[in-house]
Amino acid sequence: MTYCVAMRLNTGLVFLSDSRTNAGVDHIGTFRKMSVYENPGDRVMVMMTAGNLSISQSIRQMLNERTNAEGRTIWTATSMYEAAQILGDAIRAVHDREAGELGKFGIDFNVSIIFGGQIKGERCRLFQMYSAGNFIESHDENTYFQIGEAKYGKPIIDRVVTPQTTLDEAAKCALISMDSTLKSNISVGLPLDLLIYRSEELAVSRFVTIDEQNQYFQMIRRSWGSQLKRVFEAIDDPVWDAAPEATANVLSSVSDHSEPVRVPPPAGVAREPQAVPRQILAHQDGDSEQAS
């Protein structure tokens, strides 16, 4: 498995991928998921892949050679949309060649891709590609795409990232998103590839491979966990069975009539309700007075 995330912002693009591959708990490998297609001054394109590694490697190789009906490749495509179409054609070509044979062994044709960048003369664009070769494009309503183990790192991005977010802030958010995923899922692992592309540069100027010794990522891992715990501890506990006039932190009040869906025990094991001891009743009365 893997986790990759990319963000399209007003000032550029952010790409982050891990490098873990997993063929069982005793067969874990490292393969980089990010590929960069760069012709300085003309175009920068980035592809990140998740899914079956042999499929994604075949697609990567075919993309470099694929020509569309107009005779253009990703190196001569006139727009990122046309480049995404060429990538979609490469996905379908690999499917036509390999899906049938994979199916004989019970293996699905499983690949997902994030593809984005900029070609001179147009804005930055970002696409998510599917196994069928079709794709969707990022717009201001959806500024990012994730593939692989996306669920653990999604909440922080939803709360933080907008088109106006700066590249450095987005990179920080992406790394926190990755840290959350690393914390919760063993199928995602270091090292990471982080690429920051500033609009109109048409060259890769900010790229880093992050391992266990990276100082900034170590700081992220330490401080994010401790800050989360601090915020959690600062949130007040809920108030149960509050007086009707109470308005602070009320989870339930004495006027509530909430009841669970009860499943009655069989007649042979049902017990008669027991009287509540006086000391418990007195303790509950004291709690009610404090709540009021």
Side-chain angles (χ1 to χ4, degrees), residues 19-85:
S19 58
R20 174 68 54 87
T21 61
N22 186 357
V25 294
D26 59 349
H27 191 185
I28 295 174
T30 298
F31 289 88
R32 298 171 74 177
K33 314 297 176 58
M34 182 187 297
S35 300
V36 178
Y37 302 82
E38 178 189 22
N39 186 7
D42 179 62
R43 66 193 61 207
V44 170
M45 296 169 289
V46 179
M47 181 175 74
M48 301 188 296
T49 61
N52 186 293
L53 183 61
S54 68
I55 293 172
S56 61
Q57 288 187 345
S58 295
I59 292 169
R60 183 176 62 187
Q61 181 63 33
M62 186 168 289
L63 176 62
N64 198 41
E65 305 166 354
R66 190 75 180 175
T67 302
N68 66 6
E70 288 74 32
R72 287 192 285 268
T73 68
I74 60 165
W75 299 106
T76 57
T78 58
S79 69
M80 282 299 300
Y81 185 85
E82 185 177 36
Q85 288 180 314

Side-chain angles (χ1 to χ4, degrees), residues 11 20 25 59 82 94 154 161 175 179 194 224 243 246 274 291:
T11 52
R20 174 68 54 87
V25 294
I59 292 169
E82 185 177 36
V94 174
K154 189 176 189 298
V161 175
L175 289 170
D179 176 60
L194 174 65
W224 180 243
Q274 297 179 351

Side-chain angles (χ1 to χ4, degrees), residues 252-271:
S252 73
S253 69
V254 293
S255 60
D256 287 341
H257 300 288
S258 302
E259 287 289 339
V261 176
R262 299 184 185 276
V263 180
V269 299
R271 300 176 62 182

